[in-house]
């Protein structure tokens, strides 16, 4: 809040404004020095510091009040900590919570009966000297005490201390500031809008109680750990505003950047001023920058930070941009008439309804319809093509059935039923009439499902087979939970209609178990598969073989290596007796995948080679099946360290793709992923990034924005930037990947924990320590809470936490997490080569940083020994270990050994492609 003499309107002079803009982006010490050097009056200096305090551009400025700024410049700092332990009215001050230009806020307690109440106690810095001002203070306090809303921090009490200092006791709300909460939790646009709706509803409730905030800004809005918005300081501006013209000094609730134009002009301040501030907050939430009147760009700020915001502003659709523009109109009469009307329009936008601030013309309604349906024709065309293929197949089946007339009547009925169903589904998918939402493949499948479920005259075998296959379409579109529900209902239908032992019933049960594996619910999958294995006799039937293959795949997820190997080998053996060449191909490929998953890459190679021979015998040289096995071989060769063969196999698969597929295909993206992993091992991170970007493009075009493979590709793009140490560019794809992963699987799922760890690490390396700690600690907690523990995943995210802590000199935190890493890795039956020597090297670095050189040397030597024994040692880790041993020898005064190790480490570092900056810096710091 900014003090201003009564006769002068609060409009900064051109000189003050220029000086503010020049120093606004400087660090705090440089700002103070710049202001000391300027030949300006004390009043001008106070005006600039007031603007800087209110600007809220960073933690240092935000935590420093105007008063403290003036004291720093004048050499007379005030020690508010001296108030801790004292009493103000009935309250005992416990600790300082924050300071502002007009008040200091403490945590305080008071005793009421046998209970103790904790409050936020605000001590106002401007006194109430006249009896009339005291009377008005108590009147407004009484009004605000009765302002009750779940999203407003309630005013509990107020009074005037014996020393004449006004105080206000408010509900103590704890949480994140609004923008920080949205960024730290990677909220998407709609989630941010829902927070804004809650904020608007709270503001509207106060307005209806005839109370205006007058100083709304993100720092006055908290979001609790439960996601509830809490508005702070509601009405405090009204308490501070002295309307009497005779008063010598007036306090205006005004923060540059958030204040409405009429507040600068000292015009009538109404609820419309709060609506304007809500518009500025909306812009910060949606585009990451404050906008000025009529949605103009502020003159200050670095171009590097404005450019992304300008891009996000241009990406807003017209309706949302119009909502923001309306709230930021220069004239109050052109804004929303209330915060409630603003909330209503945002809700209409989220429901894809026409918004109130736009003219409701036929063209506008038609255009909104087109926007909502712009993907409909393409999506429906894809589905129609699928229908035509399926219909042709069904008609072909019908022809075969007719030829077998006497003994295949039931099959003929089934084929005819499927044909009729396809014609009905085709009619349902036709996009000629307006619909309330875009027609997608999933929409068309859902209508097909509804038709099949409602028509009880359909041949039951046809209905059950259709529903089972449609569930696979839902799974391929990433709708795993919906597919599960459909499979469960279809399985119940099949059991009732066909019997528990019917082949279709058992197949539906098997696919239900496969769905559980895809959902990551391995316990559910096992509870479904084991009874099926017991029910299906130990024979060489195809169902038994497929159940064994599914069970072996699940066992790899459960980290039950013995069972996985045993069941996959048994399935292959049974398939050889079964005599089906096609089933043998499937069994061998699954067996190879199982061996690769349990860490037996060398053994998987001959299995894949046999599969390749079968594929070539059947398909020739240019076929999708050949490309798939090439990719399997590429992954196996990479795991055995044969990077040349791995890259050759991946590129061979991609060469086949160029012949087989005339346009983008999701399988090409999978093959690019295999190449990307080889490039990662080669440390060719620039080529890796290019491959990751192309993989993401294909996944988006073929599978859609929210498919799990697309989301995984976003993560790969982000991590490619991380490996290139381009952390700023890594944040956006990792944040989006985290948002979509948490949306699809839940925030505590294993997949979410992996991506959250990557995002948290990038935040830390990008210089955002608070947000980094939040995400990394969340990821660690998610791994620790998994019902099916993943020690390897936990150790991986702990390593990221350790490296971030070491980068900023937090050795104590690093050591505690290294200990947790050791405990997690101790739970593994066998460790991947990645971990060879890693924990010992990390521990050695932490011990060196804490000056425990002898202990560090022992740990580093243990790491060296482990790396020498490793079959596939990490080259960068070897360099790090050598350089750290050189640093240890140097610290112990062993200069000869230090020089030798430093030279050895520098040679190895020079051989690395894309050497890590931290190792380059470490090598440079060593003598010799």
């Amino acid at each position: 809040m900014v003090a201003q003499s009564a006769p002068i309107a609060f409009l900064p002079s051109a000189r003050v404004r220029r000086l503010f803009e020049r120093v606004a982006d400087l660090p705090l010490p440089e700002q103070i020095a710049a202001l000391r050097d300027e030949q300006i009056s004390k009043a001008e200096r106070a005006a600039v510091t007031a603007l800087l305090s209110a600007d809220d551009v960073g933690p240092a400025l935000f935590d420093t009040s105007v008063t403290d700024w003036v004291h720093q410049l004048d050499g007379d700092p005030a020690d508010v900590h001296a108030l801790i332990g004292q009493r103000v009215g009935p309250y005992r001050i416990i600790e300082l919570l924050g300071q502002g230009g007009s008040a200091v806020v403490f945590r305080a307690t008071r005793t009421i009966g046998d209970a103790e109440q904790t409050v936020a106690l605000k001590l106002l810095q401007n006194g109430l000297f006249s009896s009339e001002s005291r009377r008005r203070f108590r009147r407004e306090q009484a009004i605000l005490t009765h302002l009750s809303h779940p999203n407003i921090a309630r005013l509990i009490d107020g009074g005037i201390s014996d020393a004449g200092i006004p105080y206000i006791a408010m509900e103590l709300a704890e949480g994140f500031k609004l923008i920080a909460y949205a960024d730290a939790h990677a909220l998407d646009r709609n989630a941010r809008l829902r927070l804004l709706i809650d904020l608007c509803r709270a503001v509207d409730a106060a307005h209806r109680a005839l109370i205006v905030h007058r100083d709304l800004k993100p720092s006055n809005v908290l979001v609790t750990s439960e996601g509830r918005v809490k508005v702070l300081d509601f009405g405090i501006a009204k308490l501070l505003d002295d309307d009497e013209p005779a008063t010598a000094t007036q306090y205006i609730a005004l923060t540059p950047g958030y204040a409405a134009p009429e507040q600068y002009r000292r015009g009538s301040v109404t609820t419309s001023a709060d609506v304007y501030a809500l518009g500025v907050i909306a812009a910060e939430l949606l585009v990451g920058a404050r906008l000025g009147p009529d949605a103009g760009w502020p003159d200050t700020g670095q171009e590097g930070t404005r450019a992304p915001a300008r891009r996000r502003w241009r990406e807003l659709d017209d309706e949302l941009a119009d909502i923001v523009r309306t709230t930021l109109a220069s004239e109050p009469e052109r804004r929303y008439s209330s915060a409630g009307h603003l909330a209503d329009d945002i809700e209409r936008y989220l429901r894809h309804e026409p918004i109130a601030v736009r003219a409701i013309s036929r063209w506008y309604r038609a255009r909104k319809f087109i926007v909502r349906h712009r993907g409909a024709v393409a999506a429906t065309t894809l589905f129609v093509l699928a229908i035509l293929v399926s219909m042709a197949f069904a008609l072909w089946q019908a022809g075969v059935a007719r030829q077998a007339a006497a003994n295949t009547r039931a099959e003929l009925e089934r084929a005819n039923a499927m044909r009729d169903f396809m014609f009905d589904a085709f009619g349902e998918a036709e996009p000629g009439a307006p619909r309330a939402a875009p027609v997608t493949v999933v929409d068309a499948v859902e209508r097909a499902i509804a038709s099949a479920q409602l028509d009880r005259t359909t041949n039951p075998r046809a209905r059950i087979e259709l529903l089972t296959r449609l569930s696979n379409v839902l799974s391929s579109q990433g709708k795993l939970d919906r597919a599960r529900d459909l499979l469960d209902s279809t399985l119940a239908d099949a059991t009732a209609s066909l019997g528990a032992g019917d082949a279709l019933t058992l197949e539906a049960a098997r696919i239900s178990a496969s769905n559980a594996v895809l959902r990551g619910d391995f316990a559910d999958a096992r509870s479904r598969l084991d009874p099926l294995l017991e029910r299906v006799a130990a024979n060489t039937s195809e169902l038994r073989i497929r159940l064994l293959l599914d069970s072996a795949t699940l066992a790899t997820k459960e980290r039950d290596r013995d069972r996985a190997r045993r069941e996959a080998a048994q399935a292959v053996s049974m398939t050889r007796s079964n005599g089906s060449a096609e089933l043998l191909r499937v069994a061998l490929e699954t067996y190879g995948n199982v061996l690769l998953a349990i860490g037996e890459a060398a053994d998987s190679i001959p299995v894949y080679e046999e599969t390749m021979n079968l594929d070539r015998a059947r398909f020739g040289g240019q076929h999708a099946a050949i490309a798939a096995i090439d990719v399997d071989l590429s992954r196996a060769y990479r795991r055995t360290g044969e990077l040349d063969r791995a890259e050759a196999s991946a590129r061979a698969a991609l060469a086949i793709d160029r012949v087989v597929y005339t346009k983008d295909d999701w399988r090409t993206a999978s093959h690019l992923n295999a190449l990307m992993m080889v490039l990662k091992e080669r440390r060719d991170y620039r080529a890796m990034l290019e491959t990751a970007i192309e993989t993401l493009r294909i996944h988006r075009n073929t599978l859609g924005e929210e498919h799990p493979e697309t989301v995984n590709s976003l993560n790969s793009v982000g991590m490619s930037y991380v490996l290139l140490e381009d952390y700023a560019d890594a944040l956006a794809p990792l944040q989006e990947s985290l948002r979509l992963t948490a949306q699809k699987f839940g925030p505590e799922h294993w997949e979410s924990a992996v991506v959250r760890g990557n995002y948290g690490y990038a935040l830390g390396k990008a210089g955002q320590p608070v947000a980094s700690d939040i995400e990394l600690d969340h990821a660690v907690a998610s791994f620790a809470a998994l019902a099916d523990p993943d020690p390897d995943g936990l150790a991986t995210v702990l390593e990221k936490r350790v490296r971030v802590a070491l980068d900023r000199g937090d050795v104590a935190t690093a050591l505690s997490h290294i200990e947790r890493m050791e405990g997690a890795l101790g739970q593994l039956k066998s460790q991947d080569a990645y971990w060879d020597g890693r924990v010992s090297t990390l521990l050695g670095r932490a011990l060196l940083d804490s000056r425990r050189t002898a202990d560090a040397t022992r740990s580093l030597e243990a790491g060296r020994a482990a790396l020498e024994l490793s079959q596939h040692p990490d080259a960068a880790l070897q360099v790090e270990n050598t350089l750290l041993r050189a640093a240890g020898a140097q610290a112990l005064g062993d200069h000869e050994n230090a020089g030798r190790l430093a030279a050895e480490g520098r040679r190895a570092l020079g051989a690395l492609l894309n050497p890590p900056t931290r190792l380059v810096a470490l090598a440079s710091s060593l003598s010799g």
Side-chain angles (χ1 to χ4, degrees), residues 160-173:
I160 303 169
S161 73
D162 294 339
I165 300 175
Y167 67 84
I168 296 170
M170 304 181 67
E171 172 191 351
L172 180 61

Side-chain angles (χ1 to χ4, degrees), residues 468-780:
T468 302
R469 294 183 183 280
L470 288 170
S471 72
N472 281 336
V473 178
L474 289 175
S475 292
S476 70
Q477 292 294 310
K479 304 297 182 181
L480 299 176
D481 291 340
R482 175 67 181 108
R484 173 198 58 198
D485 296 340
L486 176 60
L487 284 165
D488 286 346
S489 63
T490 303
L491 180 56
D493 184 7
T495 302
S497 304
L498 308 177
D502 187 86
L504 277 179
T505 305
L506 293 171
E507 178 65 8
R510 184 185 73 81
I511 294 175
S512 293
S514 297
N515 172 267
V517 175
L518 290 174
R519 286 186 286 108
D521 192 344
F522 304 141
D524 181 35
R526 181 55 69 195
S527 71
R528 294 171 183 266
L529 271 176
D530 283 352
L532 284 171
L533 284 167
E534 293 176 4
R535 187 186 307 172
V536 178
N539 54 34
T540 59
S541 70
E542 180 174 341
L543 178 59
R544 173 73 182 180
I545 292 168
R546 290 188 182 276
L547 284 170
L548 282 169
L549 293 173
D550 289 346
S551 181
T553 300
L554 174 58
T556 65
K557 310 293 185 183
E558 299 168 321
R559 287 175 287 282
D560 189 343
R561 297 161 51 89
D562 293 338
R563 179 172 187 172
R565 185 192 302 103
R566 182 180 67 254
E567 289 184 333
Q570 184 182 353
V572 170
S573 176
M574 290 171 59
T575 308
R576 295 188 192 281
S577 302
N578 178 280
S580 169
E582 177 61 25
L583 189 57
L584 180 59
R585 288 178 53 252
V586 173
L588 283 169
E589 185 170 10
T590 303
Y591 185 30
N593 293 342
V594 165
L595 290 172
L596 194 61
I598 64 176
E600 298 180 7
D603 290 341
S604 73
I605 291 174
V607 177
Y608 286 137
E609 288 173 341
E610 183 181 355
T611 311
M612 176 71 82
N613 291 334
L614 289 173
D615 285 347
R616 283 180 173 154
R618 179 174 179 183
F619 303 115
Q622 301 290 319
H623 193 274
I626 305 293
I629 299 303
D630 266 325
V631 166
D632 290 334
L633 281 166
S634 174
R635 293 190 170 107
Y637 290 140
R638 174 172 57 82
R639 298 282 184 86
T640 58
E642 300 176 80
L643 296 185
D644 289 341
R645 298 183 72 181
E647 183 170 350
S649 292
R651 294 193 183 279
L654 291 167
I656 293 174
D657 289 347
R658 286 192 289 273
V659 174
V660 173
Y661 307 121
T662 57
K663 58 181 181 179
D664 288 342
D665 189 277
W666 65 268
R667 283 159 290 199
T668 300
S670 175
H671 303 165
L672 281 167
N673 180 269
L675 175 62
M676 181 189 72
M677 297 305 295
V678 177
L679 295 170
K680 178 184 178 183
E681 290 294 318
R682 290 191 181 282
R683 302 182 62 84
D684 190 351
Y685 299 143
R686 183 58 58 186
M688 175 189 173
L689 172 62
E690 293 170 359
T691 307
I693 291 172
E694 176 65 3
T695 304
L696 175 60
R697 183 193 68 78
I698 295 174
H699 275 145
R700 279 175 165 162
N701 286 347
T702 58
L703 301 178
E705 291 286 344
E706 297 184 1
H707 193 278
E709 292 295 338
T710 305
V711 177
N712 185 59
S713 292
L714 275 168
N715 180 67
S716 296
V717 170
M719 290 309 292
S720 298
Y721 279 119
V722 166
L723 291 170
L724 283 165
E725 299 186 344
D726 186 352
Y727 303 114
D729 283 339
L731 293 179
L734 289 175
Q735 185 181 47
E736 180 68 0
S737 179
L738 174 58
R739 181 185 71 81
L740 292 170
T741 304
Q743 175 180 297
K744 186 168 295 294
F745 296 108
E748 306 308 323
H749 191 273
W750 178 87
E751 297 275 2
S752 301
V754 170
V755 182
R756 193 183 301 281
N758 293 340
Y759 179 51
Y761 180 71
L763 284 168
K765 301 295 283 187
Q768 300 185 40
V770 175
S772 172
D773 287 356
I774 290 170
E775 298 297 352
L776 286 170
D777 289 345
H778 188 163
V780 169

Side-chain angles (χ1 to χ4, degrees), residues 4 10-24 35 40-52 256 300:
Q4 178 65 31
F10 185 85
L11 187 61
S13 68
R15 177 180 172 84
V16 168
R17 180 181 176 83
R18 284 195 300 272
L19 184 56
F20 164 75
E21 292 172 356
R22 186 167 69 79
V23 304
L35 292 179
I40 58 175
S41 69
K42 191 169 184 177
E44 287 175 320
R45 187 172 61 189
V48 174
T49 56
L51 287 171
L52 289 169
T300 58

